[in-house]
Amino acid sequence: MNRAPHAQEKETLLEVRDLSIAFASGRSLLMAVDRVGLHVATGETLALLGESGCGKSATALALLRLLPAAGRIVGGQVSFAGRDLLALPETEMRGVRGGGMAMIFQEPATSLNPVLTIGHQVAEVLVRHLGLAGSEARARAFELLTAVGIADAARRLDEYPFQLSGGMKQRVMIAVALAANPRLLIADEPTTALDVTMQAQILELLRRLQVERAMGMLLITHDLGVVAQLATRVGVMYAGEIVEEAPRDSFFSSPRHPYTQKLFAALPDLARRGGRLETIPGQVPPLSGMPAGCRFAARCAHAWQHCREEAPDWRLVGPAHRVRCHLVDGLAAQIGGAASPVASAPAGSSPPAPSVLSVTDLCVHFPIRRGVLQRTVGHVRAVDGVSLELARGQTLALVGESGCGKTTVGKAVLQLLPVAGGSVRLLGEELGACSRAALRQLRRRMQMIFQDPFASLNPRLAVGEIIGEGMRALGTTVDRRHEAAAIAAVLQQVGLDPAAAERYPHEFSGGQRQRIAIARALAVQPDLVICDEPTSALDVSVQAQILNLLASLQVELGLAYLFITHNFAVVDHLADLVAVMYLGRIVEQGTVDEVLRSPQHPYTWALLSAVPSLRLEEQPEFVRLPGEIPSPANPPAGCHFHPRCRQAMVTCGARYPQKTALSGTHSVSCHLYP
Amino acid sequence: MAPVVLWSDALIWLLVAAALAFAWGSRRNPLLRAAWQRVGRSRTGMASATVLLFYVCVGLLDSLHFRPRLESGETQIAASSERKPAVYAVQVLSLLDAVLSPLRTRSEKTYSEPLATRAHAKEAIELRDASGRVRQIRDYPRLQYGGAHLGADETRRDADIGERLLRALAIALLVWWALAAATATALARIEACSHVEAWRRIWCNETGFACNAVLAVIAALLLVGIALGQLAVDYHVFGTDKVGQDVLYQVLKSVRTALVIGLVTTLVMLPLAVFLGVVAGYFRGWVDDLIQYLYTTLSSIPGVLLIAAAVLMMQVVIDTHPQWFATAAERADLRLLALCFILGVTSWTGLCRLLRGETLKLRELEYIQAAQAFAVSDLRILARHILPNLMHIVIIALVMDFSSLVLAEAVLSYVGIGVDPTMISFGTMINNARLELAREPAVWWSLAAAFVFMFTLVLAANLLADAVRDAFDPRLAGAA
């Protein structure tokens, strides 16, 4: 954290002036980035923050002159270490890419070539930029892999990408980017595809490397938590413009642009628990229809006539803190004080409601088949003895890293997957023992909302048909006229225009699609809704809209939610109960306050410490989890977590711990609590 | 005359009806309509569609068959016995034959070069000189029909051809101008703009439909077509073959065979491939194993061998049951259909594999799981969720397979296991030309004519396939 000494002697590395980027569409050019100016000094991290479609990635690609074929740089200057990049010939530009500035991409799984060894891919850069070859290159590659924290680097050099986990691949990508000692590192959403524990490790690694090498870093992200962890300065992008630029501390303590303030307010947080989140109405304007005045005016609560007529210019509002807004002077920082009143009563005070869902010892095993005759040689124990209890009007959050079996639990409850053992009771009826016909009747009592709103709606059907399908299949409506009225009603319930029934999914944005998916589930009037990461594919402001919608529907209809997620802020905001899963089993279970405020299991503790906090001083010490999540086909003996646990004892390796009740609602499976 | 409906005629008209129904259905579905509009904007696509349409028209004309009524030799007998039932010829003719009857009937003795007035090879000719003595000389004999109108003045041939070409050019220009003007007027009315503006929009490609490409192709087709028509009246434009038949006539007759092979085969193949592929991909398990086993086995047998065996067996059956067929045309037609069927049954594996893979991907998508959570029945999921999302692959495969099947027919006929020898097809023409090329001087025209016509057909089909794929592939079509 000792960046202060650098601040005095820093030299400007990258200077971008009035950079404009347009995309060719037919005969017209659509401006994607409009006169963006930024600068990065050595040892400094500038974070570009914004929602999807704001031109962040286009800006980064333009700096490297790697825009896709339709993209054009239509104006501006980019000078890097004194050289004008836009005027360089392509041959010299190749030396700058990788040698001068390097880029880390979002998706580690697709950024590495699957048919080349790790060592080969690192050496490729060394050969090109440093002229190293043979054993020299190999030795250097070994050093690099060690530097990015890959254990047993000598062996990894000869391995292929498929043998590494996601976090390791991202480490390799960082090693490749660092190979030619770049002076500027561009990181485009470097941790978005990773789990929280991996994200924390990668952020820590980036921070360490930057200090060691005094690199400049341009960080592109939509995650305020990542910004708080890594940035020294922050630039907020909206609709192709930078609207606010500030040093980190003043950015987090007093954001000045209404858009930035809304972004903060839209984050689910403990302070607004149970209440409604601030949302930003509307969406980012399309490239073809940019408003003439301030681009945010249409969505801004404080906009006045002047905003719609004239685009605001930069105003300095503090040391190195500037903002593009007309009403800077009249607007006080509102962050923190804007919490809406708490709407629902605290969960504890209500009388215990009847149980909607009761799961006991649920097991889902996938057979592993080998050989010519496809004989079953073993089982992947994706879910291995999970017990849950969920009452009417309650929300149970199921959290854990990817691959721990959360989604499998959801699908097994819905009987979309064969259940190997245990029982699932919905409203007192045993689902496993049901006949097909009886199960059909129970299907309307439980529905699911999926993660990706782009994959969960059939693109070939109109919205009305999508929503009506469930009603027709389950026979909840009789005639067509009645059905049309029911569809219109449910569309209104989720905040869409009933006319949407005639249109097709591709005409809607991500948030609207998720509303349609919710409407489809609600159309059959279920009692239980399983939400499988319903907001993880959405932007922060849209996420807030969907969370608000889910909360108000729960109050109105008394729905029970089984909420599957890895986002602890959402859990904190929405859930009553939390169950933490690790490798197919629940390791800790209790109310939100019990689990998130006083976590008992070492795994819960590690998970919580990895969540990036907006306030650095509040960040608990990061409990680093060594190694990777093991394969559920071959779980470790004894407690599944013990190989990664700092407090492991002899007994941990010997047998799986019993469930220990710490209070009426809080239980944990760990040998530390006998 | 008595109309004759061959099996392949029925199938062809059924296909036309199905295509019209599909087009009508597409108009109502906004997604399909948008995709077809993208095809309409593609200039190569529409240009090749125009060429294909010409071929299809020729093929359709050739698919209306009838048996002509035989004129009784003595009119007085016919007058006295009016109640006697009409007698029809054994020969089955099509509408195209009727249109082209000059070409069909004017057969020479043997080979003649394109536009020739004399035969290709020297012959002994008996001449009676002034004294009445018969003298034998060896010379190229005069053709019976080719250039017959010139009489003795054969040197006027070049001037005559030039004159006819000029006339053709003039007529073509006139007709094309009328067509273009009509298009511009229609556009001006639809878009409510001035005539000049509509004209400019057509040529600057600013309309929603690639009018300029279509008009350009129509201009080329008119030029070639009218010139051919002008010349074909009195010459053999592409020469004559071994038995003196006009090559232009043969080439035009081949078009139908090619279309039937291309279209009917896909008709046989499609239901098999779609049904088995989708079922294998969706249900997995033993159904998948069974279907995979089936197509793996089928595709490991060499294709030509399998087709040869089936065709030979079919031939034996046909030859041993002559009583099944009233005319030779019916026999040839059944053989053609059987070939289509055999080709279809042996070539569904590729598309089936493709569809199975795509279904495997689709069935894991969340909207399928959502439908399962609603207890929607499996067949309904297949019909409403999986099939519409596979349609783009099916359409692309359909158009692309067409050209490969036309080529396959040529290859099979060359090997001798293709269509009936009496049926004219590109394959039989090429097969016959095999020996002609070895002659000295070579007889090249029949091969060249077959090549040019087949090449144009397959090229147009391939270009249209590209345009259709670009328009229907969701990855290329942009925002889905």
Side-chain angles (χ1 to χ4, degrees):
Chain A
M1 293 307 102
N2 50 351
R3 282 194 219 95
H6 290 276
Q8 312 305 325
E9 60 214 83
K10 63 187 177 185
E11 128 198 38
T12 302
L13 200 57
L14 174 78
E15 172 115 45
V16 177
R17 250 180 265 118
D18 292 337
L19 180 69
S20 299
I21 301 163
F23 285 94
S25 159
R27 277 154 209 266
S28 55
L29 282 177
L30 299 175
M31 289 293 262
V33 173
D34 193 14
R35 282 174 288 123
V36 157
L38 50 89
H39 56 95
V40 183
T42 51
E44 179 188 56
T45 302
L46 172 68
L48 273 185
L49 178 78
E51 292 179 275
S52 53
C54 281
K56 310 184 299 274
S57 293
T59 309
L61 289 173
L63 298 183
L64 288 165
R65 295 206 348 223
L66 286 176
L67 280 177
R72 312 268 146 74
I73 298 173
V74 289
Q77 269 185 319
V78 178
S79 77
F80 174 71
R83 289 205 284 178
D84 183 3
L85 288 192
L86 298 186
L88 279 188
E90 188 58 29
T91 44
E92 282 184 50
M93 194 62 212
R94 289 185 61 194
V96 172
R97 289 182 203 131
M101 47 174 136
M103 186 148 175
I104 307 170
F105 295 91
Q106 174 173 355
E107 188 57 72
T110 52
S111 323
L112 289 171
N113 185 340
V115 296
L116 296 179
T117 59
I118 302 301
H120 191 103
Q121 300 190 47
V122 179
E124 206 170 41
V125 184
L126 297 172
V127 172
R128 170 70 184 78
H129 289 286
L130 304 181
L132 298 178
S135 59
E136 259 181 89
R138 195 179 162 81
R140 182 85 186 97
F142 175 76
E143 279 172 38
L144 281 165
L145 288 192
T146 317
V148 295
I150 288 181
D152 203 2
R155 185 166 59 88
R156 296 292 182 195
L157 278 179
D158 295 317
E159 288 193 342
Y160 288 89
F162 76 91
Q163 291 166 297
L164 308 184
S165 69
M168 290 231 272
K169 280 185 206 159
Q170 194 61 305
R171 283 170 192 271
V172 172
M173 272 313 294
I174 294 174
V176 171
L178 293 179
N181 301 318
R183 302 184 61 199
L184 177 72
L185 190 64
I186 301 176
D188 187 358
E189 308 261 9
T191 58
T192 307
L194 303 175
D195 277 316
V196 263
T197 51
M198 277 302 140
Q199 163 168 312
Q201 289 181 20
I202 296 292
L203 291 181
E204 196 190 47
L205 170 69
L206 284 175
R207 206 179 309 145
R208 177 169 62 82
L209 288 171
Q210 190 191 19
V211 173
E212 278 173 14
R213 295 172 174 241
M215 281 185 304
M217 179 143 73
L218 180 63
L219 174 73
I220 289 162
T221 183
H222 68 276
D223 189 339
L224 280 166
V226 173
V227 173
Q229 294 291 303
L230 218 52
T232 38
R233 277 189 310 120
V234 185
V236 180
M237 274 194 95
Y238 182 77
E241 277 182 337
I242 295 187
V243 293
E244 179 163 5
E245 197 181 334
R248 183 190 56 182
D249 293 339
S250 92
F251 177 79
F252 281 98
S253 59
S254 59
R256 301 302 294 270
H257 196 281
Y259 175 63
T260 322
Q261 293 177 341
K262 286 280 193 184
L263 276 186
F264 275 103
L267 274 187
D269 201 343
L270 185 66
R272 275 158 304 205
R273 183 172 155 64
R276 294 187 68 78
L277 294 165
E278 283 280 335
T279 59
I280 311 181
Q283 319 158 25
V284 179
L287 295 184
S288 51
M290 279 296 169
C294 172
R295 295 185 170 186
F296 187 60
R299 303 173 72 186
C300 183
H302 311 284
W304 43 307
Q305 193 54 32
H306 191 44
C307 297
R308 298 190 183 92
E309 283 163 0
E310 193 187 320
D313 214 342
W314 284 115
R315 311 266 161 96
L316 205 60
V317 293
H321 188 164
R322 48 186 199 153
V323 61
R324 259 185 215 269
C325 185
H326 285 307
L327 29 75
V328 148
D329 317 313
L331 197 69
Q334 293 183 340
I335 186 73
S340 315
V342 172
S344 65
S349 64
S350 58
S355 168
V356 172
L357 175 74
S358 136
V359 178
T360 5
D361 287 331
L362 179 71
C363 295
V364 180
H365 296 175
F366 297 113
I368 306 169
R369 296 178 194 277
R370 292 252 169 75
V372 185
L373 294 175
Q374 297 285 298
R375 274 188 310 157
T376 306
V377 294
H379 283 97
V380 176
R381 295 168 192 278
V383 176
D384 198 14
V386 162
S387 302
L388 300 166
E389 208 54 57
L390 181 57
R392 199 168 181 79
Q394 271 195 327
T395 304
L396 169 65
L398 202 55
V399 295
E401 290 175 281
S402 55
C404 72
K406 311 186 291 285
T407 303
T408 313
V409 170
K411 289 187 179 162
V413 167
L414 275 179
Q415 307 288 312
L416 290 179
L417 290 173
V419 174
S423 86
V424 179
R425 299 175 81 84
L426 182 76
L427 301 164
E429 300 227 32
E430 175 63 49
L431 292 184
C434 275
S435 64
R436 262 181 93 91
L439 189 61
R440 222 175 137 84
Q441 286 311 308
L442 280 172
R443 282 220 184 272
R444 43 167 301 229
R445 302 269 159 223
M446 51 182 183
Q447 275 307 311
M448 189 156 183
I449 299 169
F450 295 90
Q451 173 174 6
D452 184 358
F454 291 86
S456 68
L457 303 177
N458 185 347
R460 309 269 166 187
L461 292 183
V463 170
E465 291 177 282
I466 290 174
I467 296 173
E469 177 164 54
M471 296 188 191
R472 227 168 292 156
L474 297 174
T476 46
T477 57
V478 193
D479 60 308
R480 289 226 153 216
R481 209 155 40 91
H482 186 199
E483 185 187 302
I487 289 172
V490 78
L491 277 173
Q492 263 171 340
Q493 204 165 24
V494 298
L496 288 173
D497 185 13
E502 303 292 318
R503 290 157 66 195
Y504 283 81
H506 68 91
E507 299 170 55
F508 296 91
S509 69
Q512 286 172 323
R513 281 168 177 239
Q514 200 60 293
R515 283 172 193 268
I516 295 169
I518 294 173
R520 170 175 62 187
L522 288 183
V524 294
Q525 298 151 9
D527 296 296
L528 167 71
V529 178
I530 296 169
C531 308
D532 187 2
E533 313 222 11
T535 59
S536 66
L538 304 174
D539 278 318
V540 180
S541 66
V542 181
Q543 165 176 307
Q545 294 172 8
I546 297 295
L547 291 180
N548 280 346
L549 175 66
L550 288 174
S552 64
L553 287 173
Q554 184 168 44
V555 173
E556 259 173 63
L557 307 173
L559 299 174
Y561 291 139
L562 178 59
F563 207 93
I564 297 164
T565 185
H566 63 262
N567 186 337
F568 279 93
V570 172
V571 173
D572 216 348
H573 176 75
L574 202 70
D576 304 308
L577 304 164
V578 185
V580 182
M581 270 188 92
Y582 185 76
L583 221 56
R585 294 190 184 176
I586 290 179
V587 294
E588 185 165 2
Q589 200 169 5
T591 63
V592 169
D593 285 328
E594 286 165 343
V595 177
L596 299 193
R597 272 354 121 224
S598 63
Q600 298 301 318
H601 198 280
Y603 177 63
T604 318
W605 183 246
L607 267 186
L608 285 173
S609 75
V611 177
S613 160
L614 293 192
R615 293 164 198 84
L616 260 191
E617 59 275 13
E618 281 180 20
Q619 182 75 15
E621 187 213 352
F622 170 46
V623 182
R624 195 182 161 139
L625 285 184
E628 306 284 339
I629 188 164
S631 157
N634 189 17
C639 173
H640 290 170
F641 186 61
H642 86 270
R644 300 173 75 190
C645 183
R646 287 204 295 196
Q647 286 144 294
M649 304 173 290
V650 187
T651 43
C652 292
R655 59 187 176 82
Y656 196 85
Q658 289 295 312
K659 193 155 117 177
T660 317
L662 299 174
S663 75
T665 48
H666 196 180
S667 62
V668 61
S669 298
C670 183
H671 286 301
L672 292 174
Y673 308 95
Chain B
M1 56 187 174
V4 176
V5 179
L6 299 178
W7 278 106
S8 57
D9 291 346
L11 282 175
I12 280 187
W13 289 104
L14 207 68
L15 267 175
V16 170
L20 288 178
F22 179 67
W24 193 72
S26 304
R27 277 179 61 85
R28 295 163 55 89
N29 183 324
L31 290 169
L32 280 177
R33 197 171 58 202
W36 284 116
Q37 276 167 353
R38 277 198 291 275
V39 178
R41 269 196 293 279
S42 150
R43 286 196 288 181
T44 42
M46 285 330 285
S48 41
T50 315
V51 176
L52 275 182
L53 196 67
F54 161 73
Y55 277 96
V56 169
C57 285
V58 171
L60 288 181
L61 270 185
D62 205 5
S63 299
L64 290 170
H65 286 97
F66 61 90
R67 281 163 71 177
R69 188 172 181 159
L70 284 181
E71 298 295 328
S72 310
E74 301 93 41
T75 40
Q76 52 268 66
I77 296 176
S80 64
S81 55
E82 269 176 359
R83 293 205 195 105
K84 229 172 83 177
V87 182
Y88 297 103
V90 185
Q91 195 183 18
V92 176
L93 293 180
S94 72
L95 212 57
L96 187 76
D97 292 322
V99 173
L100 299 179
S101 53
L103 287 184
R104 182 169 57 87
T105 49
R106 288 186 201 158
S107 289
E108 306 292 344
K109 253 193 275 175
T110 179
Y111 294 117
S112 71
E113 279 182 47
L115 298 173
T117 54
R118 286 174 176 268
H120 180 58
K122 278 186 178 170
E123 252 177 49
I125 306 171
E126 290 186 345
L127 279 181
R128 196 176 292 273
D129 57 14
S131 60
R133 207 154 45 87
V134 173
R135 195 158 55 86
Q136 270 207 335
I137 54 162
R138 267 189 80 75
D139 194 9
Y140 299 102
R142 194 59 211 279
L143 291 179
Q144 196 184 347
Y145 300 104
H149 65 294
L150 296 172
D153 190 10
E154 283 175 61
T155 47
R156 251 191 58 222
R157 190 193 72 150
D158 292 350
D160 184 54
I161 290 174
E163 199 180 295
R164 281 162 191 265
L165 284 180
L166 277 178
R167 209 182 312 149
L169 182 68
I171 299 174
L173 274 180
L174 218 66
V175 174
W176 183 77
W177 189 258
L179 261 177
T183 316
T185 317
L187 189 74
R189 191 174 307 151
I190 292 168
E191 304 210 343
C193 59
S194 74
H195 203 89
V196 180
E197 170 66 13
W199 191 246
R200 193 192 63 79
R201 277 193 205 173
I202 287 177
W203 295 108
C204 295
N205 204 22
E206 284 172 21
T207 53
F209 184 80
C211 290
N212 53 354
V214 173
L215 282 176
V217 171
I218 286 180
L221 283 179
L222 279 174
L223 268 180
V224 175
I226 294 180
L228 280 180
Q230 285 282 322
L231 291 172
V233 179
D234 289 309
Y235 295 96
H236 299 293
V237 184
F238 288 124
T240 54
D241 72 347
K242 192 173 179 179
V243 293
Q245 212 172 25
D246 193 284
V247 173
L248 177 63
Y249 172 72
Q250 290 185 338
V251 166
L252 288 177
K253 288 290 279 183
S254 302
V255 169
R256 175 177 185 268
T257 318
L259 289 178
V260 169
I261 292 268
L263 293 176
V264 176
T265 306
T266 37
L267 200 70
V268 174
M269 177 188 88
L270 215 55
L272 266 178
V274 171
F275 180 74
L276 292 181
V278 167
V279 163
Y282 184 75
F283 288 107
R284 307 291 309 274
W286 65 268
V287 181
D288 188 21
D289 287 348
L290 190 75
I291 292 171
Q292 270 197 72
Y293 178 79
L294 194 68
Y295 72 59
T296 315
T297 313
L298 205 57
S299 55
S300 4
I301 304 172
V304 176
L305 204 69
L306 194 63
I307 294 169
V311 167
L312 291 175
M313 270 169 13
M314 179 244 335
Q315 213 168 330
V316 170
V317 172
I318 287 180
D319 288 348
T320 49
H321 297 89
Q323 71 278 13
W324 288 355
F325 313 102
T327 56
E330 278 179 29
R331 199 190 61 207
D333 184 67
L334 196 78
R335 191 168 159 175
L336 177 69
L337 278 189
L339 181 68
C340 289
F341 188 76
I342 292 163
L343 273 175
V345 168
T346 50
S347 65
W348 56 273
T349 52
L351 181 60
C352 180
R353 189 177 309 193
L354 205 66
L355 291 179
R356 172 181 170 269
E358 192 68 17
T359 312
L360 281 181
K361 200 179 86 189
L362 284 178
R363 76 188 288 273
E364 297 302 328
L365 282 186
E366 291 170 345
Y367 60 82
I368 305 287
Q369 291 178 356
Q372 285 168 345
F374 280 126
V376 178
S377 69
D378 287 332
L379 277 180
R380 213 174 151 71
I381 289 181
L382 287 183
R384 265 171 78 87
H385 291 286
I386 301 223
L387 207 55
N389 283 295
L390 291 174
M391 258 353 247
H392 67 280
I393 296 184
V394 172
I395 291 175
I396 293 162
L398 206 111
V399 189
M400 295 197 86
D401 277 355
F402 171 79
S403 48
S404 63
L405 285 168
V406 172
L407 295 176
E409 186 273 327
V411 172
L412 290 178
S413 296
Y414 179 79
V415 181
I417 51 175
V419 295
D420 195 80
T422 59
M423 179 165 258
I424 305 168
S425 80
F426 289 128
T428 46
M429 283 182 73
I430 292 171
N431 187 22
N432 293 337
R434 176 169 60 148
L435 294 172
E436 294 167 359
L437 274 184
R439 283 171 61 106
E440 181 59 39
V443 176
W444 49 269
W445 46 88
S446 127
L447 186 67
F451 170 77
V452 167
F453 270 72
M454 190 163 79
F455 173 76
T456 322
L457 174 64
V458 173
L459 182 70
N462 274 337
L463 288 178
L464 183 67
D466 275 352
V468 169
R469 187 191 53 207
D470 287 355
F472 276 82
D473 197 328
R475 275 162 299 187
L476 292 173

